[in-house]
Amino acid sequence: MPGQVGIGVIGAGTISDTYLENLTGFADTDVLAIGDIFPEAAKEKAAKYDVATSGDVAVVLDHPGVEIVVNLTIPAAHAEVASQVIAAGKHVWNEKPLALDRVSGQSLLRDAEAAGLLVGCAPDTFLGEGLQAACRLTEQGMIGTPLTALALLQLPGPESWHPNPAFLYAVGAGPLFDIGPYYLTAVAQVFGPVSSVAALGSKARERRVIGSGPKAGEEFDVMVPSHVSSLVQYESGQSAQAIFSFDSALPRTLLEVNGTEATMLFPDPNYFDGDIAIRRRDRDEWEKVATTTAKSSRGTGVLDMARALREGRPHRAQGLLAYHVLDTMITITESVESRAFVEVASSVDKPPLLPEDWDPLERTL
Ligand SMILES: NC(=O)c1ccc[n+]([C@@H]2O[C@H](COP(=O)([O-])OP(=O)(O)OC[C@H]3O[C@@H](n4cnc5c(N)ncnc54)[C@H](O)[C@@H]3O)[C@@H](O)[C@H]2O)c1
């Protein structure tokens, strides 16, 4: 089938605005329908972004023009909604994490493969110009041979700004599952697949308070560790130290890759742009080597998937990669419980970098 790829969105919440802005702006994608368990929420977004059809989940699943469904529901619903999409004969893009457990992640990938359908999954920030440029420079040898990485995300917690933050402290989220995918996917693009992990976890508070929106002041339970400190061993022999925390008064993010010749400061993996700097072995100052501008933001991976579908090639932010990241995060949780190194069973190939002249806004289909 030639031409633009028809897109449906399920889940008309906070992050849907960014996706809808981008997916309605790309020349190669056409957003045809929005659905939500609260049809009113879907109708509101449809009016805002001039999308013709809106309502419940079925309006998206039954829409004949929708080829890829973008699943922006909460983590607990990701696997179930994605399975409904595959059963409806459509390709699916999930927000992260792919699923909450290995069994549902595996069965989603298996069912999709059997039906000849694609599974894509966030994050797609590693397709942003920031991380792509850092990976290109690393592949070109700017820091010598990459050896180790330090990944750090520490915040006081998202309940200060998110109006419905309870899910961010439930199974499937916490700093590890909510933020970990950005860092673990970015490092996978440099080091490849993980072979084993060890980790410690803790909780600063059993209950937290909603800081904004109509429910401000209400308390909710913290169901998962809100601080996770992990050691990650890659199949290649490279290693990383990764800390994910909602228990720090000091907000700080960092992704550094140490090579034999220099250390590279990567852009924040939660964004699509940023500066890149290196510190050479023989110099005692940072040297800025690139300033990057985002060509697009969330939805970039959906666009790559849409183009791949028409071009008959693999897309980059694949379900298999997201499954490996999910498997790594579940294994980190198991290590927190067992207090031992635990092997990561799955593996994945590094996705190829985007061409340097890749243009998300160009009409190619
Ligand atoms: N908010 C952010 O800044 C952000 C950033 C990146 C990724 N994400 C991810 O995006 C996803 C959604 O986050 P959000 O912040 O937009 O959450 P949200 O709670 O604001 O929105 C979720 C929407 O999904 C709908 N929904 C829930 N279960 C459903 C189901 N079974 N069927 C149909 N609709 C259903 C809800 O009614 C709601 O409208 C999460 O996986 C989150 O991790 C969020």
Side-chain angles (χ1 to χ4, degrees):
M1 197 196 299
Q4 285 182 309
V5 175
I7 306 288
V9 171
I10 297 179
T14 311
I15 202 60
S16 67
D17 281 294
T18 312
Y19 272 92
L20 286 163
E21 256 164 49
N22 288 316
L23 292 169
T24 56
F26 298 144
D28 284 342
T29 54
D30 187 14
V31 182
L32 299 171
I34 308 178
D36 197 290
I37 32 168
F38 296 111
E40 283 311 314
K43 288 200 168 111
E44 199 182 298
K45 301 287 179 193
K48 187 168 171 190
Y49 296 97
D50 204 14
V51 174
T53 304
S54 61
D56 59 11
V57 170
V59 301
V60 178
L61 298 181
D62 296 344
H63 194 297
V66 169
E67 295 168 79
I68 299 176
V69 174
V70 176
N71 174 9
L72 306 180
T73 60
I74 55 171
H78 286 176
E80 190 199 323
V81 170
S83 296
Q84 288 173 27
V85 174
I86 297 297
K90 299 182 189 300
H91 309 281
V92 68
W93 169 273
N94 264 14
E95 244 308 327
K96 47 81 196 162
L98 179 69
L100 295 194
D101 58 84
R102 294 187 182 100
V103 171
S104 48
Q106 283 166 357
S107 66
L108 172 62
L109 296 185
R110 208 175 33 241
D111 292 351
E113 194 180 0
L117 295 165
L118 304 179
V119 178
C121 189
D124 51 2
T125 41
F126 76 98
L127 300 177
E129 192 45 28
L131 289 174
Q132 289 283 308
C135 290
R136 264 196 308 270
L137 294 172
T138 307
E139 283 190 5
Q140 288 162 8
M142 186 174 265
I143 61 169
T145 305
L147 300 171
T148 61
L150 175 60
L152 176 64
L153 176 289
Q154 55 180 49
L155 297 171
E159 72 274 24
S160 59
W161 61 270
H162 198 294
N164 285 305
F167 82 84
L168 292 166
Y169 289 89
V171 173
L176 174 62
F177 284 77
D178 186 46
I179 307 289
Y182 297 105
Y183 288 81
L184 293 169
T185 307
V187 182
Q189 179 85 65
V190 185
F191 291 172
V194 174
S195 58
S196 63
V197 295
L200 295 172
S202 53
K203 244 189 230 182
R205 290 183 286 288
E206 290 297 328
R207 290 174 70 72
R208 299 234 178 188
V209 180
I210 300 177
S212 74
K215 296 192 211 156
E218 280 180 29
E219 284 197 359
F220 62 91
D221 290 328
V222 177
M223 312 295 286
V224 292
S226 43
H227 177 99
V228 174
S229 175
S230 58
L231 296 174
V232 185
Q233 175 74 69
Y234 290 82
E235 285 179 18
S236 57
Q238 292 150 314
S239 67
Q241 191 166 356
I243 298 173
F244 306 111
S245 183
F246 290 162
D247 287 349
S248 170
L250 173 67
R252 182 161 54 184
T253 65
L254 184 72
L255 177 54
E256 277 174 4
V257 178
N258 299 299
T260 49
E261 307 308 321
T263 294
M264 181 175 287
L265 180 59
F266 273 48
D268 184 338
N270 204 357
Y271 294 95
F272 288 76
D273 57 1
D275 292 346
I276 303 165
I278 61 166
R279 181 99 181 203
R280 297 183 197 273
R281 282 171 62 87
D282 54 358
R283 306 246 185 97
D284 60 1
E285 59 187 4
W286 285 99
E287 188 184 323
K288 196 191 279 185
V289 291
T291 297
T292 64
T293 309
K295 294 178 178 177
S296 56
S297 73
R298 292 179 208 280
T300 299
V302 180
L303 174 66
D304 179 52
M305 187 171 161
R307 288 178 173 173
L309 188 62
R310 290 282 184 271
E311 292 163 11
R313 59 162 172 88
H315 64 286
R316 291 174 172 80
Q318 284 208 15
L320 272 176
L321 175 61
Y323 178 78
H324 179 65
V325 168
L326 173 70
D327 191 17
T328 301
M329 297 188 299
I330 293 173
T331 312
I332 286 174
T333 303
E334 289 165 352
S335 172
V336 167
E337 283 154 17
S338 69
R339 305 180 77 81
F341 270 97
V342 187
E343 304 286 312
V344 174
S346 63
S347 187
V348 71
D349 290 333
K350 265 199 261 187
L353 294 176
L354 287 165
E356 232 169 299
D357 62 354
W358 191 77
D359 180 358
L361 301 178
E362 187 189 352
R363 180 180 286 273
T364 69
L365 303 177

